[in-house]
Amino acid sequence: MSLNAERSYKMKLRDVENAFKYRRIPYPKRSVELIALLAISCTFFLFMHTNKLNSRLKEMEVKLQPSEFSALGLTGNHISGHDAGKHDDINTLHGTYQYLKSTGQLWRLNPKFLNNTKFHTSDIIFFNRVPKTGSETLIKLMIELGKINDFQNERSPYSKPTGMYWNVERQEQEATRILDLKEQPAFVYAEHMNYMNIRQFHLPQPIYINMIRDPVERVISWFYYKRTPWSSISMYKVTGKMYNRTYYIKNFEDCVLTNDAECRYDYGLMFKNDPGDHKRQSLFFCGHSPICEPFNTPAAIARAKQNVERDFSVVGSWEDANVTLTVLEHYIPRFFKGSMELYYEPDNGLAFLNENINHWKPKISERIKQIMRANFTQEYEFYYFCKQRLYRQYFAINKHLHF
């Protein structure tokens, strides 16, 4: 470009700039569209960034919750159920699925990391069954499965008291007695007893399984179960004692409202003198240590969670029958292969579903249940912990479900 042409171009450019500067001509329409597009793009970017931050905050909330993994040096695998009412939705199967999906955790679930069956070298199951959780139904199912999958079933005598508060020597004696019953390579033993860590006795640590139930519903069920004729007869055979008529006609709602000793659920309350008073199911997972004795305490719940995560392959619930049976079948196939089909087989299904139902139990008002739940905060923490663990195990093998 020549010098004169360059000067002419610069003068024209200066005239155009002055025209825009002093508004003698309008801005081109394309510039307005460009500015609008830029504003929309910025708004969309801010929305996406805010949504991403929200997801990350949810993940951080999970990581900051006390969990079963805290004791093992891990984080981020527990959805808190501290407040049973507040977290009601997230503690359901659907709610847990949506939470895991929205935070990106669903696709990272791996059954290899959620199944500790592989850490047990012997085909031995201890079913240290919690009373009033449907354990008789599971025993009946396992007896039938034993015929199909070729494993031995044994259970404690009906007259044997619940195994609670055993010292170390007694635990070793009981563990040895149970293992001496084993006659086949695969063996299942069921008994109402607290969890035992028998590694300290240089014995093969068994695969633990158990069932849980809504804490308040379970306590109500136990209150009326022990007043049934068959339970009273069994108790008489064991203890030689029979209660008076007042005991058998006692009403649960009145028992709670009058602060009767039988229906007190105070923080830290001890029940060592009455091992048959099953006010908390966490005791069956915590063990025989003195730390496990006080009612509804964080220390007992933390110990119970740690034991579940380390030694319990599956903790199921008949409140989620399909989920429980699916997880049992996939995580412990040696024993539970075909359990879903057998459970719903027409000739057997109704027998399983109706096992040990108490028709003497009346309906309890929601008001009474709410009063009780206020004193069962830690028990609900453990209950939801186990349920969410079960759901994670289920989703790890069924990631593509649609709700």
Side-chain angles (χ1 to χ4, degrees):
M1 182 184 293
S2 65
L3 183 61
N4 290 334
E6 184 178 354
R7 288 176 179 174
S8 177
Y9 173 78
K10 289 182 177 180
M11 290 177 65
K12 289 180 180 179
L13 183 62
R14 190 181 302 113
D15 289 339
V16 171
E17 290 175 347
N18 289 334
F20 276 110
K21 183 176 181 180
Y22 297 104
R23 299 292 193 274
R24 288 198 296 268
I25 61 175
Y27 282 96
K29 184 178 180 182
R30 183 171 295 179
S31 298
V32 176
E33 292 174 349
L34 183 62
I35 293 171
L37 181 61
L38 182 61
I40 293 172
S41 299
C42 289
T43 303
F44 179 75
F45 172 80
L46 287 172
F47 171 78
M48 294 298 294
H49 187 63
T50 303
N51 192 48
K52 185 177 180 181
L53 284 174
N54 186 47
S55 295
R56 292 182 66 184
L57 281 170
K58 286 183 178 179
E59 289 186 351
M60 290 302 297
E61 287 175 1
V62 174
K63 292 179 180 180
L64 290 173
Q65 292 291 347
S67 72
E68 76 275 25
F69 297 91
S70 300
L72 305 178
L74 303 173
T75 57
N77 268 323
H78 173 47
I79 306 167
S80 175
H82 182 70
D83 185 334
K86 182 179 178 181
H87 298 284
D88 208 31
D89 179 65
I90 206 169
N91 290 307
T92 63
L93 182 69
H94 176 267
T96 300
Y97 176 84
Q98 294 298 336
Y99 183 90
L100 294 173
K101 184 179 179 181
S102 67
T103 58
Q105 298 180 60
L106 181 65
W107 314 112
R108 298 198 296 269
L109 294 178
N110 189 328
K112 292 182 180 180
F113 303 132
L114 294 170
N115 184 10
N116 58 29
T117 306
K118 60 182 178 291
F119 298 123
H120 303 276
T121 57
S122 300
D123 289 330
I124 303 171
I125 285 182
F126 275 15
F127 178 28
N128 66 316
R129 58 196 190 111
V130 179
K132 307 315 300 170
T133 59
S135 60
E136 286 289 347
T137 299
L138 185 56
I139 288 175
K140 188 171 182 179
L141 179 63
M142 288 192 296
I143 289 173
E144 296 303 316
L145 285 170
K147 301 172 186 176
I148 300 170
N149 296 332
D150 190 28
F151 61 84
Q152 177 187 355
N153 274 283
E154 297 288 344
R155 63 184 296 172
S156 64
Y158 287 101
S159 59
K160 191 174 189 295
T162 301
M164 294 182 175
Y165 312 123
W166 291 340
N167 58 30
V168 175
E169 182 181 358
R170 176 69 184 278
Q171 290 180 56
E172 184 175 11
Q173 292 173 355
E174 290 291 335
T176 303
R177 176 189 64 81
I178 293 169
L179 294 175
D180 285 343
L181 297 173
K182 184 174 180 288
E183 297 176 352
Q184 298 181 25
F187 171 68
V188 172
Y189 182 77
E191 180 179 341
H192 289 310
M193 62 178 179
N194 290 6
Y195 161 84
M196 295 187 296
N197 182 357
I198 65 175
R199 295 184 184 90
Q200 59 183 318
F201 311 129
H202 306 290
L203 296 171
Q205 183 72 2
I207 301 165
Y208 271 98
I209 63 170
N210 217 324
M211 303 292 283
I212 57 168
R213 183 178 179 181
D214 180 282
V216 168
E217 296 292 345
R218 194 189 74 85
V219 167
I220 294 171
S221 180
W222 174 252
F223 179 90
Y224 284 106
Y225 174 78
K226 63 185 181 180
R227 286 169 167 78
T228 58
W230 58 86
S231 177
S232 300
I233 292 171
S234 297
M235 185 180 298
Y236 177 75
K237 289 179 179 179
V238 175
T239 65
K241 297 179 181 178
M242 286 289 288
Y243 293 102
N244 58 30
R245 181 176 179 274
T246 304
Y247 171 84
Y248 290 102
I249 65 172
K250 184 184 293 187
N251 178 278
F252 183 79
E253 295 195 0
D254 293 338
C255 185
V256 172
L257 293 174
T258 59
N259 201 30
D260 188 296
E262 186 180 359
C263 300
R264 287 182 57 199
Y265 310 99
D266 299 333
Y267 178 90
L269 204 60
M270 307 284 277
F271 307 104
K272 192 166 185 177
N273 294 329
D274 189 4
D277 195 355
H278 303 297
K279 286 186 168 69
R280 65 255 193 255
Q281 60 191 348
S282 61
L283 182 62
F284 287 80
F285 301 87
C286 183
H288 300 267
S289 169
I291 200 175
C292 304
E293 295 175 24
F295 174 72
N296 201 49
T297 56
I301 298 304
R303 176 71 64 86
K305 288 181 180 180
Q306 184 177 355
N307 291 337
V308 166
E309 192 59 31
R310 185 184 60 236
D311 287 327
F312 283 80
S313 293
V314 178
V315 177
S317 172
W318 291 122
E319 298 160 348
D320 296 285
N322 289 348
V323 174
T324 296
L325 293 171
T326 300
V327 172
L328 283 169
E329 191 161 343
H330 281 79
Y331 286 65
I332 321 177
R334 172 65 183 84
F335 294 88
F336 289 96
K337 181 181 179 181
S339 58
M340 181 78 80
E341 181 181 355
L342 180 62
Y343 183 80
Y344 287 109
E345 187 177 299
D347 294 337
N348 293 324
L350 288 177
F352 287 141
L353 292 171
N354 292 323
E355 186 69 25
N356 218 12
I357 289 179
N358 181 8
H359 297 285
W360 277 269
K361 185 178 72 173
K363 183 176 177 60
I364 304 301
S365 70
E366 188 60 29
R367 171 173 167 257
I368 296 297
K369 293 178 182 179
Q370 289 290 355
I371 292 172
M372 292 181 63
R373 289 185 186 118
N375 288 344
F376 279 75
T377 52
Q378 291 298 317
E379 284 296 311
Y380 272 103
E381 170 73 21
F382 177 73
Y383 167 71
Y384 287 128
F385 160 84
C386 291
K387 295 269 279 194
Q388 290 157 3
R389 180 179 186 260
L390 178 70
Y391 294 157
R392 287 175 179 273
Q393 290 177 316
Y394 179 70
F395 290 135
I397 55 179
N398 292 282
K399 294 180 182 177
H400 299 289
L401 293 173
H402 297 284
F403 287 91

